[in-house]
Structures are given as C-alpha cells and as structure tokens.
Amino acid sequence: MRVAILGAGPSGFYAAEHLFKQKDLVIEVDMYDRLPTPFGLVRGGVAPDHPKIKSVTKVYDRIASNPRVRFFGNIEMGADITVESLRDYYHQILYATGTQTGRTMNIPGEELEGSHSATDFVAWYNGHPDYRDLEFDLSVECAAVVGMGNVALDVARILSRTPEELGTTDIADHALEVLAESKIKEVYILGRRGPVQAKYTPKEVKELGELADAEIVVRPEEVFELDPISQEELETAPDRATQRNVEIVQEFARREPSGKSRKLHLRFLVSPVELIGDDDGKVAAIRVVKNKLRKTDSGGSRPQATDEYEELPVGLVFSAVGYQGVPLLGVPYREDWGIIPNVKGRVVTDPESERRVVGEYVTGWIKRGPSGVIGTNKADSVETVECMLEDLAMGLYLGPSKPEADAVEEMFVNCKPTRFSWEDWQRVDEVETTKGERQGRPRVKFTSVDDMLDAREDS
Ligand code: NAP
C-alpha cells in the first residue's frame, strides 16, 4: 500500500511510525511538505529557548531513515500538485497539515499598525521563510500579549529575554538583531479568565519568574481572592497542574520588586475591547474591560464583561488567542471549527451526515484543533492509522491509476526539479548545525528557500 502524508510535522511522523509497525503489510510512505525543511511546528513553532522540546526530532530522524519513506519537500499543494492528482498515485492520503494561521480577536483597531498575530511573530523569530520579511517595531516601551496559553507565554518571554539569553539559541538571525535593539520595558500578558482557567502549563509559567533581566509582576487581588466558580474549579480539577498554576502565580504575587530592567505583568480577568490608534494609525493603547466569571450550562466558565474599563498605553499588541487551519483545495473544511471534518480521523464531508471521503484521513491539529503538546499527536495519529488499517482490510481505499513508486518521482523530476529529498535536507541540516557550532548555538537557520537550494548545491 502506498500512502501520501501531507505535512512533515509531528503528527505526520507519528502516523508514519505507526504504519511501519504493521509487520504483515508492506506500506510505503511519501511525506510531502510545503517547505524544504521537515518537522513543522518543531522547527517553526517551538520557542528557540526551549531546545529540549526540539530534541524530539531525533525520533523523526529515525522514522525517516526507514527505506520505505521518502520526503518530498518544497512541494506546495495546490501550486505544485493538486490533491486531485495525488489520488492517481496513492491508495490512501493523510492530511497532517496543522493549523497555520492565528485566530483574530475581532475587536476594533485590530488592523492598526503595531497589532500582530502571535503566530506571525513566532514564525518570524523561528525563521520560517514565509515570515522572514515581516517587520515588528520594537522601539516602543510597552507591549501587550492577549491570551493565557503557552503561545502567549512564549511570545512574552522572547520579548523579555536579554540578547545574551537569546544569543545561544537557534533563533533566526534577523530576529536576534531586532530583539537586541528592543526598547520594550513592559510586557502585559492579558487573560480573559482567572488564574484557575489559564491554559498555560506549570513549567512554562514558572519559567516567567526565572528570566535574567525581567521581573514578573502579579496583582495579589487577582490571584488570592478567587471567586466561587474558580474555587470550585480548583477543587474539582482533574490533575495537579491547575493547583500548581495557581500556586506559582501566588508566589509571584508575594515577590518584592527586584530592580530588573524589564517588567512582565500577568493580568487576569481582563478582555481586550479595542485597540486605540494615534494620528499615524499606529497602536497607542489597548482598552480592556474587567471581567467576572459566569458558569456555563456544561459546567465550565465564561468571562462576562463588567462596566469597569482600563487603558494600557502599549505600542504593540500580539494576539495569542489560538491557531486555526487553512483549507486545502478539494478537501472538506469546517470554517467555524478551522479543521478538516472527520470521525476519528476518517475525513467526512460534514460531521452531521458522517458521509465518508473514502481513502482520505486526517491527523494532528487539523484533525482535532490546536491543543495539547507535541506528544499528544502520537495517540492522535495512532487512532487515525488504526482507522486506515481497518479500512484497508475491508478493501476501502482509493484506486490509483499510477501506483508505482517511480511514477510520482518521475512527475516531479519534470515539473518540480527544486523538490527537496531527505538527503537534501540532511545537507542543509549539516550546514546549519556546523555554522551553529562555531557560534555556540544549536544551529544557524537558513530562512529563505533560495538559500537552502544554494546550500544543497554547494555541499
Ligand atoms: P491555547 O492554549 O488554547 O490558549 C489560547 C488562549 O487565548 C486562552 O487563554 C484563551 O482563553 C485565550 N483567548 C481565546 N479567545 C480569546 C479572546 N477572544 N480574547 C481573549 N482571550 C482569548 O492556545 P495557544 O496558546 O495558541 O497554544 C496552542 C497549543 O500549543 C496548546 O495546547 C499549548 O499548550 C501548546 N503549546 C505548548 C507549548 C509548550 O509545551 N511549551 C508552547 C506553545 C504552545 P480561554 O481559556 O478563556 O478560552
């Protein structure tokens, strides 16, 4: 059986791994990626100061070393090949394309200069080729990051680190240069609910209190006086993480000022309502409303605006309110959920009718939405692959007219000579890591596809 996996990120690799575990089946996998480089969010999303998380790529290297997997990098669906034509080459197609864009806050002023999606900033500092030319004006003194998830914390932390702290990471050189000149003194992280409902994880929030030259500031009244809804949620929380999150921010609130040059404010129960611009159309302030919590019918909690407003004089705003998917031409898509509709990974035309698209599957964030850590994708991909195997056993798969492995290779030789193989990526990887070693960094990233193509030719 020949399988095309679209997207060479974590969920794609975990799916390939589980496919190869089937001892009684000969399965060949072609992994496609829009970029010449593999690893998806591990390369383009994980914060540069979190190198341990990135070491998971060793597992993916091992999976890629299987002779039954081929990498087709620098191949863009829609532009270089259509999903429709892939159906001529494969028995099954697995979409593992992730969620590439940021959700918007939908408030007035969001279009002002200085208002950005956190996902753009993350892709920029991680050297994603599509984002390298973005500009972020860090000559302002105050910035706000909206959202209380780990992405918000990543962005706030990168804004608050010293050039020395960043200088030992694999952050893109262009970002290092701009961040080294940053004039930012205050960063506000704004959560619309309380410390009990924050989406970040304990390790990540604790790290905010350990930065070299930025001190964490938490208002005691926002973290000690829990409302009854929060109190109940804390007492019934399924694990210790919520308790730890609260303990950590309470410890922050007890801290005395340390005199560090930057301040990182964690603010709870405030929602952005408007970005206020100056005469030049640049962000000059963010207007927030104080919230209280109300219980939902399903037992959760939602923020409810009060009539108390506040203006924070910030010149930069990053909205870190979640990622969402991008539709693929010819593949069903649920605009409102930002995912490919599916039942346990089997693509359906819409979730209500559960009408199957035979031979097509989905895994990772584009299957379930942007949640969980990298490892969460493993179980997710196993679930999808089990469905693929069940269907295969029942004879439910595509009927490709050109199922030979060479056929697709030949097609690309003619129409996309710049396609990257795994060996091409390994050459680029070696150049990046060798450069990095000389500078005491894990790697110095190429941030343009042309430079990667040159590096492939040179080495
Ligand atoms: P997230 O964890 O879902 O957090 C999104 C945040 O945005 C929540 O605090 C949410 O508040 C808030 N929000 C949503 N809509 C809003 C609005 N209109 N106004 C104000 N706030 C709003 O998403 P994420 O931070 O993008 O992270 C995505 C996934 O990647 C998560 O599973 C995360 O843990 C993971 N990740 C992990 C790491 C790591 O392990 N180090 C690093 C980065 C990302 P509500 O809770 O009230 O909805």
Side-chain angles (χ1 to χ4, degrees), residues 50 53 105 146-152 154 192-193 197 199 201 204 271-272 320-323 365 370-373:
H50 281 171
I53 299 181
M105 298 180 286
V146 178
M148 274 283 172
N150 281 328
V151 170
D154 281 350
R192 64 180 174 178
R193 296 190 289 160
Q197 295 84 20
K199 289 274 180 70
T201 37
E204 278 62 32
S271 278
V321 298
Y323 284 76
W365 278 8
S371 65
V373 293

Side-chain angles (χ1 to χ4, degrees), residues 369-395:
S371 65
V373 293
I374 288 164
T376 315
N377 294 299
K378 190 164 179 166
D380 198 6
S381 290
V382 167
E383 180 186 63
T384 298
V385 169
E386 286 297 323
C387 292
M388 293 166 73
L389 297 168
E390 253 176 59
D391 292 351
L392 181 70
M394 293 199 305

Side-chain angles (χ1 to χ4, degrees), residues 229-412:
I229 294 176
S230 294
Q231 196 61 51
E232 191 190 327
E233 280 185 30
L234 186 62
E235 281 159 17
T236 55
D239 53 36
R240 274 277 300 152
T242 311
Q243 185 85 38
R244 275 298 293 142
N245 278 348
V246 174
E247 287 165 6
I248 291 163
V249 294
Q250 288 179 340
E251 186 271 317
F252 288 164
R254 283 190 209 100
R255 289 191 185 181
E256 294 295 327
S258 63
K260 290 181 178 176
S261 37
R262 284 183 173 142
K263 285 193 170 62
L264 190 47
H265 304 262
L266 262 184
R267 293 289 313 273
F268 295 96
L269 287 161
V270 284
S271 278
V273 287
E274 185 184 0
L275 303 188
I276 299 162
D278 62 13
D279 294 343
D280 299 324
K282 289 186 181 161
V283 171
I286 183 167
R287 188 166 151 81
V288 297
V289 65
K290 185 94 192 131
N291 294 327
K292 56 185 185 183
L293 293 180
R294 69 175 167 82
K295 221 173 164 127
T296 61
D297 295 340
S298 58
S301 57
R302 297 287 300 161
Q304 183 164 19
T306 65
D307 54 7
E308 241 182 273
Y309 293 86
E310 198 182 330
E311 255 179 50
L312 301 171
V314 299
L316 254 183
V317 174
F318 296 94
S319 90
V321 298
Y323 284 76
Q324 69 175 1
V326 175
L328 272 171
L329 194 70
V331 182
Y333 186 71
R334 272 288 302 241
E335 198 71 51
D336 49 348
W337 296 350
I339 60 161
I340 294 175
N342 68 92
V343 177
K344 289 184 173 178
R346 290 182 171 105
V347 176
V348 295
T349 49
D350 79 277
E352 278 77 41
S353 72
E354 296 198 358
R355 204 152 59 90
R356 293 278 317 276
V357 180
V358 172
E360 299 188 27
Y361 303 84
V362 60
T363 184
W365 278 8
I366 194 65
K367 169 188 176 186
R368 68 176 194 277
S371 65
V373 293
I374 288 164
T376 315
N377 294 299
K378 190 164 179 166
D380 198 6
S381 290
V382 167
E383 180 186 63
T384 298
V385 169
E386 286 297 323
C387 292
M388 293 166 73
L389 297 168
E390 253 176 59
D391 292 351
L392 181 70
M394 293 199 305
L396 277 176
Y397 48 84
L398 296 164
S401 56
K402 296 171 246 181
E404 308 79 28
D406 291 348
V408 71
E409 185 92 51
E410 274 163 27
M411 188 256 306
F412 283 124

Side-chain angles (χ1 to χ4, degrees), residues 33-34 50 60 69 90 104 136 159 283 338 345 378 395 412 423:
D33 206 284
R34 202 159 67 81
H50 281 171
Y60 309 151
V69 65
Y90 298 96
T104 53
F136 297 93
L159 289 171
V283 171
K378 190 164 179 166
F412 283 124
E423 292 69 35

